[in-house]
């Protein structure tokens, strides 16, 4: 992960400049309108020739018109985390804009915006400072002009609600009137002053999402909602086994369906399946979705299934459970675990099994493409428009500047929509058929052909010394790695995957040994919200509860004791043949601070009234985990009735540094608990004969309202620290807290997911 | 292919479609109303919920030939500009995350309070059970519905 600051030391990108709107620009904006995809208001406002609007564009994220309209570019993808609101409000706050009239314009994929890969919970972490600087730079320019006009010192001026103000003389002037002049000056190096935290008007408050009204009135535009003239819809029959191909097919009956206009073979990547190319299949292109679906049902395809045709996930779990009992490849080592084990007073050892998981966003993948041999334009629900642009340029063999990737809203993503395979499908079919083509995935397509979160088998061994302290920790890990999707010879988890909760085991234990085992991949492995933290923390967090029990201490006291003194952990010298990735950040800038972790744990004990008496069959469970540089502690309350689990309450305490949009932090944690409740209690993907056995939401279940956690309390620590992400951090600690609560309620330990108390 | 005259949001639309084409695709692909969403196609997720004579139905599983004289209401016709109390409550509680499931949730909730203006919490859960939300907005949905039902009439 590279960090770009967009306002270099020399302020090279802070260029004030006015440009006149050309006729061509107006036409282009008009074309976009006809295309049906408009976020906010049009890109240009030009009422008549006389009234041409000029703009101050101090950087790529901001445009202030002489009509006073402030447009802020949302350059990252909106998938429910609220980023189209939270990043722009940072600019608006520093600028002193009138938030209620700010226009949000969604950026297309272009390197000029910096990183657009909306993934890894790093939008706020990476862009908090650049956004503040972008707003502050514009504020500086506007104040200079106003101060000069009023003959007052610039220091006496401020900005507020879209105007520069001079309090002592009670004067105010709208930004629009300053635009022309402001564009003639630039910001001298070192002159950008950021606001003091106590002067924030938007940061740290609760701001409703900018798309709220469009969403509740049905006007919001998602991946499948873009229309253009002459549009055709394609659905694709993909080989049910990953890496297979089409041997032959007959399309006679499909073509008889009224509305079907063509049938095309789609060449797949084969093996390795890759993280960006389509699977092999046959596409039916039709006037409407229903005709395409019906046509597809009538295709007669003979597949060449390839080497994954015998893949059976239940067998794989059995095999890995066997192989994980042996010695693995050591990935982190501290002290001498074997000695710790030999001298232990108590040894606890368990095997943990978790299934494959699908993302199952309620919006299945969909993308629209217009393409010929020279150029391509797509509209897609993509997390990674620059990545899509790159692969489209490769596949279509055209330069990147001939590829335009427009980003719609994403109807959920969780990592699935960072893969552009579905966009490539649309582009290939558009080029081949000569029509604009929307590829529509069905729910069955989505569950059969996802980039799955892969199953895992783990073994943990904890040793307790004669002094009743945790003396040793040994964690064995096996799962098909993400790396295998691009390279089939990869059999072991990468350092990056292990750095998600395994090698960053933070407890102050004299002996730590993390070992990994081979696990071949027979599916497309991708990443799902919080990625490997899901299985790692399931095993660690439930084992911690057993360690507390064996030591005879309360689980929260246990965690506080094991974290040890307030200090910064570096893992230096302990990661074998690698370094601790720290989510792409230098550990000197984002240290692992045990004090912050202890603080969230202490607070969750207080907020949840930890230790309170509960009726029979009820219990509280605790887990804490730092992921994506955010510290989270979680207490789950359960009620178990005839093996049925209900969750009356959840308490989260989160330390994510400065809280930017408090309401969206809360909603990410509320949703995170629900999302994870699905994973813990309901969801599993299984393979037999190389095929996924679940077809729709009847087979692959996710939580429904009546069974969902009821009261989710989110407590945010006051902080002026660097802000960190909140999209993924709610997920990891929830499952172990839930499992521990079930143990507290009915005395049953959970080693296999999804939880089945009847088993 | 057959011709149908269907009443959508108070207007009659003459459409030509296969008899078994689900109303969902008639709305989205033929009439061009995109507020109704596709999530599963099998009446399992509720994203496609619309009203047929004030009752919530899954448009993905209702063939166009079965609509007959029925009045169809979609999110676009629920109110002019989002004035329906359920929509207002959704805004007040900032219910949506990604938003994709929300038009279906709103249509289902609107049908519920029409049929039963004072539902208990349990009745709300039962009625909303068919609408999945992967982002996990269930508690805000419930709070928004409760706020509407407890408003003095
Ligand atoms: S799309 Fe109709 S219920 Fe899911
Ligand atoms: S808000 Fe995203 S699926 Fe419900």
């Amino acid at each position: 992960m590279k960090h770009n600051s967009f306002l270099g030391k020399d302020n090279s990108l802070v260029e004030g400049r006015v440009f006149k709107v050309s006729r061509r620009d107006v036409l282009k904006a008009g074309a976009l309108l006809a295309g049906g995809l408009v976020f906010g208001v049009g890109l240009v406002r030009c009422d008549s020739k006389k009234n041409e609007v000029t703009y101050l564009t101090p950087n790529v994220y901001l445009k202030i018109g002489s009509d006073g309209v402030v447009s802020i570019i949302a350059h990252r993808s909106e998938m429910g985390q609220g980023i189209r609101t939270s990043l722009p409000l940072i600019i608006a706050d520093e600028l002193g804009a009138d938030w209620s009239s700010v226009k949000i314009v969604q950026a297309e994929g272009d390197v000029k915006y910096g990183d657009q890969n909306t993934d890894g919970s790093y939008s706020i972490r990476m862009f908090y400072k650049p956004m503040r600087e972008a707003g502050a730079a514009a504020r500086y320019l506007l104040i200079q002009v106003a101060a000069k006009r009023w003959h007052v010192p610039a220091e006496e001026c401020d900005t507020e609600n879209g105007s520069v103000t001079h309090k002592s003389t009670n004067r105010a002037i709208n930004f629009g009137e300053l635009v022309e002049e402001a564009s003639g000056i630039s910001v001298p190096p070192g002159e950008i002053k950021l606001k003091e935290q106590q002067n924030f008007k938007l940061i740290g408050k609760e701001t409703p999402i900018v798309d709220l009204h469009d969403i509740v009135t049905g006007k919001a535009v998602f991946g499948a909602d873009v229309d253009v003239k002459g549009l055709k819809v394609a659905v694709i029959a993909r080989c049910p086994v990953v890496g297979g191909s089409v041997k032959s097919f007959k399309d006679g009956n499909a073509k008889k369906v009224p509305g079907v206009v063509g049938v095309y073979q789609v060449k797949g990547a084969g093996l390795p399946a890759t993280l960006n190319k389509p699977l092999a299949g046959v596409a039916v292109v039709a006037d409407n979705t229903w005709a395409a679906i019906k046509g597809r049902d009538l295709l007669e395809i003979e597949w060449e299934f390839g080497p994954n045709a015998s893949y059976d996930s239940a067998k794989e779990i059995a095999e890995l459970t066997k192989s994980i009992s042996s010695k693995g490849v050591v990935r982190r080592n501290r002290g001498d675990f074997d000695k710790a084990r030999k001298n232990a007073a108590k040894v606890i050892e368990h095997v943990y099994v978790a299934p494959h998981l699908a993302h199952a966003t309620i919006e299945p993948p969909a993308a629209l493409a217009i393409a010929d041999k020279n150029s391509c334009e797509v509209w897609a629900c993509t997390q990674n428009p620059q990545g899509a642009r790159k692969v489209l340029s490769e596949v279509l063999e055209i330069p990147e500047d001939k590829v335009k990737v427009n980003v719609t809203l994403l109807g959920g993503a969780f990592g699935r929509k960072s893969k552009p395979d579905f966009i490539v499908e649309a582009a290939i079919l558009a080029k081949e058929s000569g029509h604009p083509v929307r590829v529509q995935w069905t729910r069955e397509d989505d569950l059969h052909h996802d980039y799955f979160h892969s199953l895992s088998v783990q073994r943990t061994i904890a040793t307790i010394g004669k002094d009743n302290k945790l003396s040793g920790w040994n964690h064995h890990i096996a799962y098909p790695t993400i790396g295998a999707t691009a390279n089939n010879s990869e059999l072991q988890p990468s350092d990056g995957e292990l750095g998600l909760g395994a090698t960053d085991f933070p407890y102050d234990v004299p002996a730590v040994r993390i070992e990994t085992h081979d696990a071949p991949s027979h599916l497309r492995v991708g990443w799902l919200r919080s990625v490997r933290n899901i299985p790692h923390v399931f095993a660690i967090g439930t084992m911690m509860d057993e360690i507390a029990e064996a030591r005879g201490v309360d689980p929260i006291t246990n965690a506080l004791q094991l974290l040890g003194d307030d200090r910064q952990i570096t893992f230096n010298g302990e990661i074998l043949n690698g370094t601790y990735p720290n989510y792409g950040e230098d550990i000197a800038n984002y240290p692992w601070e045990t004090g912050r972790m202890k603080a969230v744990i202490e607070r969750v004990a207080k907020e949840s009234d930890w230790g309170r008496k509960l009726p029979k069959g009820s219990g509280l469970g605790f887990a804490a985990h730092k992921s994506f540089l955010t510290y989270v502690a979680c207490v789950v309350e359960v009620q178990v009735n005839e093996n049925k689990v209900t969750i009356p309450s959840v308490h989260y305490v989160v330390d994510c540094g400065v809280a930017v949009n408090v309401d969206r932090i809360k909603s990410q944690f509320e949703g995170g608990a629900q999302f994870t409740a699905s994973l813990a209690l309901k969801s599993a993907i299984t393979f037999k004969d190389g095929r996924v056995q679940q077809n729709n939401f009847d087979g692959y279940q996710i939580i429904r309202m009546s069974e969902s956690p009821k009261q989710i309390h989110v407590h945010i620590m006051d902080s002026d620290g660097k802000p960190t992400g909140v999209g993924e951090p709610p997920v990891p600690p929830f499952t172990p807290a839930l499992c521990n609560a079930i143990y507290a309620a009915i005395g049953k330990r959970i080693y296999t997911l999804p939880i089945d108390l009847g088993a | 292919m057959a011709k149908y005259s269907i009443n959508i949001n108070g207007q009659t639309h003459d459409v030509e479609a296969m008899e078994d084409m689900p109303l969902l695709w008639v709305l989205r692909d033929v009439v061009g109303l995109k507020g109704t969403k596709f999530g599963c196609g099998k009446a399992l997720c509720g994203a496609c919920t619309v009203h047929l004579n004030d009752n919530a139905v899954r448009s993905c599983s209702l063939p166009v030939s079965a609509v007959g004289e029925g009045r169809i209401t979609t999110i676009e016709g629920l109110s002019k500009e989002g004035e329906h109390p359920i929509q207002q409550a959704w805004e007040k509680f900032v219910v949506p995350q990604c938003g994709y499931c929300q038009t279906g949730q709103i249509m289902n909730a609107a049908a519920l309070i029409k049929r039963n203006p004072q539902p208990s919490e349990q009745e709300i859960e039962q009625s909303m059970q068919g609408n999945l939300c992967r982002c996990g907005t269930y508690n805000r949905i419930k709070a928004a519905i409760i706020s509407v039902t407890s408003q003095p009439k």
Side-chain angles (χ1 to χ4, degrees), chain A residues 191-203:
Chain A
E191 274 303 310
I192 296 181
K193 284 207 185 54
L194 301 179
K195 273 190 178 176
E196 299 293 327
Q197 199 166 345
Q198 72 265 21
N199 296 330
F200 287 151
K201 293 231 157 59
L202 295 162
I203 297 168

Side-chain angles (χ1 to χ4, degrees), chain A residues 362, chain B residues 96-102 133-135 137:
Chain A
I362 305 298
Chain B
Q97 289 187 32
C98 81
Y100 192 80
C101 73
Q102 298 296 342
C133 176
R134 187 60 157 159
C135 297
T137 62

Side-chain angles (χ1 to χ4, degrees), chain A residues 301-439:
Chain A
I301 308 172
E302 213 188 318
W303 302 102
E304 178 65 57
F305 291 124
N308 290 327
S310 59
Y311 176 50
D312 182 319
S313 56
K315 277 197 191 134
E316 180 178 39
I317 288 174
E319 281 160 20
L320 292 179
T321 305
K322 236 187 261 157
S323 66
I324 204 155
S325 65
S326 60
K327 264 190 149 9
V329 179
V330 179
R331 308 294 289 272
R332 177 183 166 194
N333 192 64
R334 175 201 290 167
D336 185 344
F337 177 76
D338 292 330
K339 209 169 112 197
R341 181 166 195 167
K342 219 164 72 213
N343 297 334
K346 282 180 197 157
V347 176
I348 318 166
E349 175 170 355
H350 292 293
V351 172
Y352 298 84
V353 176
H356 293 307
L357 297 167
H359 298 79
T361 55
I362 305 298
E363 173 193 50
L368 164 63
I370 302 174
D372 57 27
K373 63 183 196 315
N374 301 315
S375 67
C376 171
E377 178 163 11
V378 301
W379 290 260
C381 46
T382 173
Q383 287 176 254
N384 187 359
Q386 287 176 28
R389 194 180 192 202
K390 198 154 170 276
V391 69
L392 288 169
S393 138
E394 270 166 47
V395 170
L396 301 174
E397 298 177 326
I398 52 177
E400 261 190 59
D401 62 7
K402 296 284 182 242
V403 180
K404 187 169 171 175
V405 178
N406 304 287
V407 182
T408 66
L409 293 177
L410 284 60
F414 315 115
R416 168 62 183 94
K417 291 165 185 170
S418 53
K419 323 296 187 301
D421 56 321
F422 61 104
I423 310 172
V424 174
E425 290 174 341
I428 292 172
L429 291 169
K431 186 177 167 186
E432 209 164 319
S433 70
H435 301 288
V437 169
R438 177 195 301 137
V439 163

Side-chain angles (χ1 to χ4, degrees), chain A residues 243-258:
Chain A
S245 56
V246 178
K247 209 191 266 173
S248 65
F249 70 96
K250 289 205 199 99
D251 59 11
N253 289 331
K255 281 182 165 163
K256 280 187 207 136
V257 174

Side-chain angles (χ1 to χ4, degrees), chain B residues 5 8 11-12 16 22-23 28 32 41-42 88 100-101 126 139:
Chain B
S5 253
I8 305 168
Q11 274 182 11
T12 304
E16 206 180 334
L23 175 64
R28 290 186 57 86
K42 298 270 155 67
Q88 305 252 297
Y100 192 80
C101 73
Q126 267 162 16
N139 289 338

Side-chain angles (χ1 to χ4, degrees), chain B residues 2-124:
Chain B
K3 288 202 160 90
Y4 299 94
S5 253
I6 42 180
N7 181 331
I8 305 168
N9 300 331
Q11 274 182 11
T12 304
H13 291 259
D14 295 315
V15 298
E16 206 180 334
M18 277 181 274
E19 286 159 45
D20 59 353
M21 187 190 279
L23 175 64
L24 169 68
W25 300 116
V26 174
L27 293 170
R28 290 186 57 86
D29 290 357
V30 183
V31 183
L33 293 170
K34 306 283 191 194
T36 307
K37 303 300 182 196
F38 168 59
C40 70
K42 298 270 155 67
L44 294 164
C45 78
C48 64
T49 305
V50 299
H51 296 173
L52 173 63
N53 301 328
D54 297 335
N55 296 314
V57 293
R58 309 299 185 217
S59 66
C60 70
S61 302
L62 180 72
V64 59
S65 53
V67 172
E69 304 284 293
R71 277 180 298 111
I72 300 295
T73 309
T74 70
I75 188 74
E76 291 89 349
L78 185 64
S79 69
K80 241 172 134 184
E81 244 321 310
E83 302 85 356
H84 190 282
I86 284 287
Q87 288 168 304
Q88 305 252 297
W90 248 243
E91 293 206 24
K92 180 160 164 239
F93 286 83
V94 199
V95 171
Q97 289 187 32
C98 81
Y100 192 80
C101 73
Q102 298 296 342
T103 50
Q105 306 273 10
I106 288 168
M107 294 310 285
N108 208 18
L112 162 65
I113 62 156
K114 176 131 199 184
R115 180 177 80 238
N116 177 3
Q118 301 287 335
S120 66
E121 197 171 328
Q122 215 184 354
E123 285 170 324
I124 294 175

